[in-house]
Amino acid sequence: MNSDLHRVAALVSTMAWLTSACGDDRRLDAALLGITAEDLAADIQTLASDEFAGRAPSSPGETKTIEFLRAEFMKLGLEPGHHGSFFHEVPLVAITADPNTALDVTGAEWRRVFSYGGDFMAWTKRVGPTSEITDSPLVFVGYGTVAPEYDWDDYDGLDVAGKTVVMLVNDPGFATQDPDLFNGNAMTYYGRWTYKFEEAARQGAAGALIVHETEPASYPWEVVSGSWSGPQFGLVAEDDNMSRVAIEGWVTVDAARTIFSATGLDFDALKAQAATRGFTPVELNATASLRLDNAVERSISNNVIAVLPGAERPDEYVFYMAHWDHFGTDPTREGDQIFNGAEDNASGTAGLLELAEAFASLDPRPARSLVFLAVTAEEQGLLGSAHYAANPVFPPAQTVAAINLDVLNVRGRMHDISVVGYGNSELDEYIIWAAAQQGRRVRPDPQPQAGYYYRSDHFNFAKIGVPALYPDAGIDHVIHGEEWSRQQEAEYRAERYHKPADEYDRNWDLRGAIDDLRLVFRIGYRLAHETTFPNWREGTEFRALRDAMRGTR
């Protein structure tokens, strides 16, 4: 179906739905009123309690969490979503590198040794007791990007077998602020560290190092050193991940400048060249050696899947999703050792339960099926959703859309709501419509350069072509305005985000969260009664996948 016909069909379907919905106002209003701050608060308190021990994957805290979710879904009358079970197993491996190691870089007449934690962080996805690079030639590959839709290939004509590639974080659009280059200031997937390591493996590199800089990464070095130390969870492929590079890691920008300078190269000049189409890779005339000794522990974690079957088209699915996991406990810490994860993401998981209850209250049921997916190991790299995307229970071609709940608004009512990844799909039209029902406006992500669209679980649905919506809290508070909201967000990021201080607070104003949940309920309600399938916008990374699966090219 061409795009004009698709728009006509969507309009006809929408008008038909709106006409039929006029008679459904009472039951819709009743369902919306069933989403309450009292119920939401109770579930957040439970999930973020010390009893749940920070909800780490493959821990006693996981057992309590998934059993709680199963019991709640069963209480609502929902059906198990995975072959008669509410649980969808996710095989994980935790690989812990011995920090007593060093990165040894050697040139023709010089040698530099860099320290773990202070100068670099490194790990491996390969499942084994050791992983190493030895005298691996270093080559600077700019942004390490192969993006056909942007006519960009940093590896063009380059053989990196046995070599270690050095790359910049983010992408050329952010570096130049050119709106016509990549996506301008807004990060594309090619700017994410996950993509860069995956592409290095596809190119056959032995190792891959990303140069950290705070502004293009959107977080300081302390986030790198904290997040990539200790056990690193991953999924396990049939080859024990031997298709990945042997060593993945980050180096500080100071370490990178030291290496480039020792080889007679100007890091800043090459960085500027890397953002131009005329850039070609540069051999650094130096080699790197690094050995990691690893402790390996395999385990099984679980996604939780519950389904409300559709009354008319049960083989078409509208997804709501949230990650239930957090960081567990750290017995080496003084004082509070539990990462309760109240906002991140007990709030989203509790919201998932509220939505499930609201839809379960409808009589008759919606035409399409509603799927409520609580995924594991988001904090370890979106692993639960990645496993689902690689092993989908419901066909992606029959999956209408996915709506992600990750950190609800606990600061009160807003005049607006943000959409992370605004402009990517036709789902924008749905949230604009739903926001208008509340007298609110929709605004794009206020921090597009941070690439948040690629940093939460909906992205794994996008990667297989399913349109995915990621609403975020607005910033125009009805009483305090925008500056106050930005200050509150900055305070959360600095003081509570990924820290034991992220605990339930009785002083939260959950009215904003309830507004947002009722808004996304309206979107799902509409999607569940329509007959069309939303698509990605022309020119996005995911449009071709959706067209292929739906036969709409």
Side-chain angles (χ1 to χ4, degrees):
M1 183 184 293
N2 65 39
S3 57
D4 289 338
L5 288 176
H6 181 83
R7 282 193 291 271
V8 170
L11 179 60
V12 170
S13 175
T14 299
M15 294 305 296
W17 178 81
L18 289 171
T19 300
S20 66
C22 291
D24 294 339
D25 285 349
R26 289 183 180 177
R27 70 189 189 109
L28 174 59
D29 289 345
L32 289 170
L33 290 173
I35 300 172
T36 68
E38 293 75 18
D39 288 350
L40 181 68
D43 286 336
I44 296 174
Q45 283 183 274
T46 297
L47 289 162
S49 66
D50 286 355
E51 181 185 357
F52 282 62
R55 306 186 308 280
S58 307
S59 74
E62 162 164 353
T63 301
K64 288 183 181 295
T65 303
I66 64 174
E67 289 294 347
F68 171 76
L69 293 175
R70 175 168 65 176
E72 292 300 303
F73 286 134
M74 289 180 66
K75 190 188 306 181
L76 296 173
L78 272 62
E79 297 183 4
H82 183 231
H83 306 301
S85 173
F86 284 98
F87 301 147
H88 180 234
E89 289 190 348
V90 181
L92 297 178
V93 61
I95 303 176
T96 307
D98 186 343
N100 295 311
T101 187
L103 174 64
D104 193 329
V105 180
T106 305
E109 298 180 354
W110 57 270
R111 180 188 179 201
R112 301 286 188 275
V113 179
F114 298 95
S115 65
Y116 180 94
D119 299 317
F120 79 96
M121 292 300 300
W123 61 91
T124 185
K125 293 297 183 182
R126 294 184 176 184
V127 183
T130 63
S131 191
E132 62 185 318
I133 52 175
T134 304
D135 297 327
S136 175
L138 292 172
V139 56
F140 177 59
V141 294
Y143 286 92
T145 294
V146 179
E149 64 269 39
Y150 297 116
D151 189 28
W152 196 280
D153 187 352
D154 285 325
Y155 288 94
D156 187 27
L158 180 66
D159 181 2
V160 294
K163 299 178 181 179
T164 294
V165 296
V166 180
M167 302 169 283
L168 301 170
V169 70
N170 216 308
D171 61 39
F174 175 84
T176 62
Q177 297 293 293
D178 180 350
D180 297 323
L181 188 62
F182 282 64
N183 202 18
N185 183 56
M187 183 190 288
T188 65
Y189 180 48
Y190 300 112
R192 288 288 291 145
W193 58 266
T194 48
Y195 163 79
K196 294 176 189 291
F197 292 133
E198 291 165 0
E199 188 60 47
R202 284 190 287 269
Q203 296 291 330
L209 298 173
I210 298 176
V211 179
H212 174 269
E213 292 186 271
T214 296
E215 187 177 4
S218 81
Y219 40 78
W221 178 254
E222 289 73 21
V223 171
V224 174
S225 60
S227 298
W228 276 275
S229 60
Q232 298 299 300
F233 281 86
L235 300 175
V236 186
E238 291 184 2
D239 67 349
D240 277 344
N241 301 340
M242 292 301 165
S243 59
R244 299 294 292 254
V245 301
I247 299 291
E248 298 177 5
W250 293 80
V251 295
T252 65
V253 67
D254 289 339
R257 286 199 172 98
T258 297
I259 295 169
F260 279 58
S261 178
T263 64
L265 297 171
D266 185 329
F267 170 80
D268 292 296
L270 287 175
K271 174 184 171 182
Q273 291 177 27
T276 66
R277 292 192 184 279
F279 171 78
T280 56
V282 177
E283 300 280 355
L284 296 186
N285 298 316
T287 62
S289 298
L290 174 64
R291 175 189 170 99
L292 296 178
D293 294 312
N294 306 308
V296 178
E297 183 177 357
R298 296 176 186 261
S299 64
I300 298 293
S301 188
N302 293 271
N303 297 327
V304 183
I305 310 176
V307 181
L308 183 71
E312 299 173 17
R313 297 185 298 282
D315 58 345
E316 297 175 359
Y317 308 93
V318 177
F319 272 70
Y320 287 98
M321 60 193 305
H323 74 90
W324 59 255
D325 67 294
H326 203 54
F327 289 105
T329 61
D330 181 356
T332 67
R333 295 180 65 94
E334 294 185 5
D336 190 353
Q337 299 177 338
I338 301 175
F339 292 77
N340 300 84
E343 289 186 60
D344 184 15
N345 187 33
S347 67
T349 307
L352 197 70
L353 293 175
E354 283 298 290
L355 291 168
E357 181 177 9
F359 277 104
S361 72
L362 295 172
D363 184 19
R365 290 178 173 180
R368 286 168 160 164
S369 295
L370 277 299
V371 180
F372 301 91
L373 173 62
V375 295
T376 184
E378 186 269 357
E379 304 289 10
Q380 286 72 33
L382 317 183
L383 301 181
S385 57
H387 182 73
Y388 179 89
N391 305 273
V393 178
F394 308 103
Q398 295 302 108
T399 300
V400 178
I403 301 171
N404 185 41
L405 307 174
D406 193 356
V407 184
L408 299 187
N409 170 20
V410 300
R411 302 184 187 107
R413 310 186 81 167
M414 302 286 178
H415 288 302
D416 59 353
I417 186 166
S418 302
V419 177
V420 181
Y422 183 84
N424 279 337
S425 83
E426 294 168 352
L427 292 174
D428 292 344
E429 298 162 8
Y430 288 77
I431 194 167
I432 290 170
W433 165 81
Q437 310 304 304
Q438 297 179 337
R440 300 167 69 189
R441 66 184 184 278
V442 172
R443 72 164 73 213
D445 177 10
Q447 294 180 287
Q449 71 279 7
Y452 287 123
Y453 192 77
Y454 310 103
R455 292 165 61 175
S456 194
D457 288 300
H458 64 283
F459 179 57
N460 283 315
F461 277 66
K463 286 174 72 174
I464 60 172
V466 175
L469 182 66
Y470 182 14
D472 197 12
I475 59 174
D476 186 5
H477 194 276
V478 296
I479 297 174
H480 303 294
E482 290 190 16
E483 184 177 353
W484 179 87
S485 295
R486 293 181 188 274
Q487 290 173 347
Q488 293 294 305
E489 174 66 13
E491 178 186 328
Y492 165 68
R493 291 282 167 184
E495 299 181 8
R496 299 188 299 282
Y497 176 64
H498 288 188
K499 294 180 174 66
D502 184 4
E503 297 191 273
Y504 176 76
D505 185 341
R506 294 183 184 277
N507 294 316
W508 283 346
D509 183 349
L510 292 177
R511 289 176 295 176
I514 296 304
D515 284 345
D516 292 351
L517 288 172
R518 289 173 176 173
L519 184 150
V520 297
F521 178 89
R522 285 183 181 274
I523 295 171
Y525 186 85
R526 174 174 163 181
L527 287 167
H529 285 85
E530 291 182 340
T531 58
T532 56
F533 284 72
N535 205 340
W536 299 97
R537 302 291 188 193
E538 292 283 1
T540 60
E541 305 100 308
F542 321 112
R543 176 63 182 251
L545 290 169
R546 185 63 160 182
D547 286 347
M549 76 168 67
R550 294 290 306 160
T552 54
R553 279 183 172 171

